[in-house]
Amino acid sequence: MAYAIEHDRMLIGGELVHASGGEFDLSINPATEEVIGRSPRGTAEDVERAFAAADAAWPAWAALTPSERGARMRAFGEALRARAEDFLRIEVADTGNTITPMRGDVGHAVDSLTYYAGLIHELKGETIPATAENLHLTLREPYGVVARIAPFNHPLMFAVARTAAMLAAGNAVIVKPPETSPLSALLLAEVAREALPAGVFNIVTGPGATVGNAIVRHPGIKRIAFIGSPQTGRAIQRSAAEVAVKHVTLELGGKNPLIAFPDTDPDIIAATAVRGMNFSWQGQSCGSTSRLLLHEDIHDAVLERVVSAVAGLRLGDPFDPATDMGPVNSRIQHEKVLSFFETARHDGSRLMTGGRRPPGERFAKGFWVEPTVYADVKPGMRLWQEEVFGPILSVGRWKTVDEAVELANSTEYGLTGAVWTNDIRNALNVARRIRSGHVWINGCSNHFLGVPFGGMKNSGVGREEGIEEMISYTEAKTINIMLG
Ligand code: NAD
């Protein structure tokens, strides 16, 4: 059968291949539930072959000079850019994310390759004056074979931007794409095959429970980088620990607070709260500021504006540039969001807008939910504590700064946070007291290349997107030259 998206092979050792078991998983468009493509259902045997290829390839890759390796990475980036429209088409169809903001993903992926290509010269060791007569020095060496396990919301961007540091450090890579939006990885397989030496970049699609697990439990893959849910992150730490001593970094979920002080403009805060929810990806963004904490003096004015803006978002075809929000990514996501609506019916929060599947024939099929706002959300409620990873904004209120900080910190998460005030002392004090890894003052949502991103508490371990991400894909080797 022919599919709208025809790419259906993974990349192992420079070859475009189907899975060893010959099976496929079908990919569906979340807006229509139509089958649009298929991806190989990889196996543990495929992971073993990818490991063998990567293990054979990395020494030569690591032996390239920084300029040579950087040039290969930049060429990879340009090859991706040349196919940007194809990636965009696949990504929008497979994820349900809206087309206009999604254009940024390929650009960000290419920029990350360029950024880390330029940093390779910074893989420096140190000389340490431990004794007067000898020489003590450190070298930075790659792990060899490293793996990236990626979530469904920005599959191409994570497969490229979050492997660039691995490649820069001289490693060969195995990418495990998400099972509900794997199709862009299969075009990526074709581009990477042309741009990079065989075995340096491998892609194995398939279920987390088999392919992901085989990667995590492979004794030869010591360095694993994961982006996904806290539950899976913890399962990965457990499995990895059962087989070997591994370096596992985790970028997990968030229940991120946006604290607005009474000196801020209600119009600006309302617009920021809506932007911070990332409705263009249906709220499916780890950094979404999904808890809006409003000072009581501005609470009603901001809430009214937020509700009006959210109720006015245009739901529809993600390919239509006028659309503000598409469907959530999968049936699982859909059921999860609906379950939050159900819980909220009985918890004492106030539904302000949304809270259901949109009415009408055009939304009868597909994973549609309305963008939603609840007010009077409190720390005892599921909506306060659990990441929805969907288009639900929870609003709470506070009186004192201490109360605002306590509310902000009253979940197990600590990924991002935002503080809005014109008072510099309040801004910095609160920013420092929020137990989150990434805080915006008078901002929200943006990531900046080179600026570390990652979570505190159960939102993760490790920092990505800056130079320390590249260093984290190396091990230090100490050499003592005894001269005395
Ligand atoms: P998920 O945890 O369900 O899956 C992520 C990946 O892990 C998928 O590729 C999946 O196949 C794989 N996997 C599943 N079980 C596995 C196992 N036992 N062993 C190895 N791999 C396994 O997450 P998701 O639903 O795809 O993504 C949503 C989550 O990702 C949210 O919690 C979100 O906050 C988080 N996220 C975090 C960041 C960040 O940078 N902190 C960015 C995006 C998404």
Side-chain angles (χ1 to χ4, degrees), residues 150-152 176 179 208 212 226-229 232 251-253 286 387 389:
F152 69 78
K176 151 71 180 87
E179 49 271 68
F226 172 76
I227 305 176
S229 65
T232 310
E251 290 277 5
L252 308 175
C286 55
E387 180 188 43
F389 211 60

Side-chain angles (χ1 to χ4, degrees), residues 97-119:
N97 294 344
T98 54
I99 191 160
T100 305
M102 210 52 192
R103 284 186 189 281
D105 276 29
V106 170
H108 180 68
V110 176
D111 288 350
S112 298
L113 282 165
T114 310
Y115 168 73
Y116 284 109
L119 277 184

Side-chain angles (χ1 to χ4, degrees), residues 374-423:
Y374 289 97
D376 299 340
V377 183
K378 301 203 171 65
M381 297 176 187
R382 182 179 177 212
L383 270 174
W384 186 280
Q385 295 293 343
E386 265 185 54
E387 180 188 43
V388 180
F389 211 60
I392 303 183
L393 175 63
S394 301
V395 183
R397 69 170 85 206
W398 55 274
K399 278 188 202 157
T400 66
V401 176
D402 284 349
E403 193 188 355
V405 170
E406 194 182 321
L407 288 173
N409 289 337
S410 64
T411 77
E412 65 170 314
Y413 295 107
L415 189 57
T416 73
V419 189
W420 278 77
T421 173
N422 294 316
D423 180 321

Side-chain angles (χ1 to χ4, degrees), residues 232-256:
T232 310
R234 290 162 79 160
I236 286 175
Q237 278 188 325
R238 273 196 302 276
S239 305
E242 276 171 18
V243 288
V245 172
K246 298 201 178 200
H247 179 174
V248 178
T249 49
L250 305 173
E251 290 277 5
L252 308 175
K255 192 78 198 181
N256 308 301

Side-chain angles (χ1 to χ4, degrees), residues 148-154 157-158 162 176-181 206-217 224 226-233 235-236 239 250-256 283-288 329-330 332-333 336 387-389 413 415-416 447 453-455 459-460 464-465:
R148 160 62 67 198
I149 302 177
F152 69 78
N153 52 341
H154 296 276
M157 195 265 282
F158 286 129
R162 298 276 69 79
K176 151 71 180 87
E179 49 271 68
T180 57
S181 45
T210 49
V211 172
N213 194 44
I215 289 171
V216 169
R217 300 183 77 89
I224 293 160
F226 172 76
I227 305 176
S229 65
Q231 296 80 350
T232 310
I236 286 175
S239 305
L250 305 173
E251 290 277 5
L252 308 175
K255 192 78 198 181
N256 308 301
Q284 297 167 148
S285 181
C286 55
S288 296
N329 176 255
S330 64
I332 301 169
Q333 280 294 106
K336 193 166 113 189
E387 180 188 43
V388 180
F389 211 60
Y413 295 107
L415 189 57
T416 73
H447 292 226
F453 186 87
S459 286
E464 298 184 337
E465 305 183 29

Side-chain angles (χ1 to χ4, degrees), residues 2 47 78 86 104 133 156 161 188 202 241 282 300 344 416 437 460-461 465:
V47 171
E78 287 316 311
D86 297 327
E133 63 275 28
L156 174 80
L188 176 63
N202 304 276
Q282 300 73 248
D300 294 355
T416 73
V461 56
E465 305 183 29

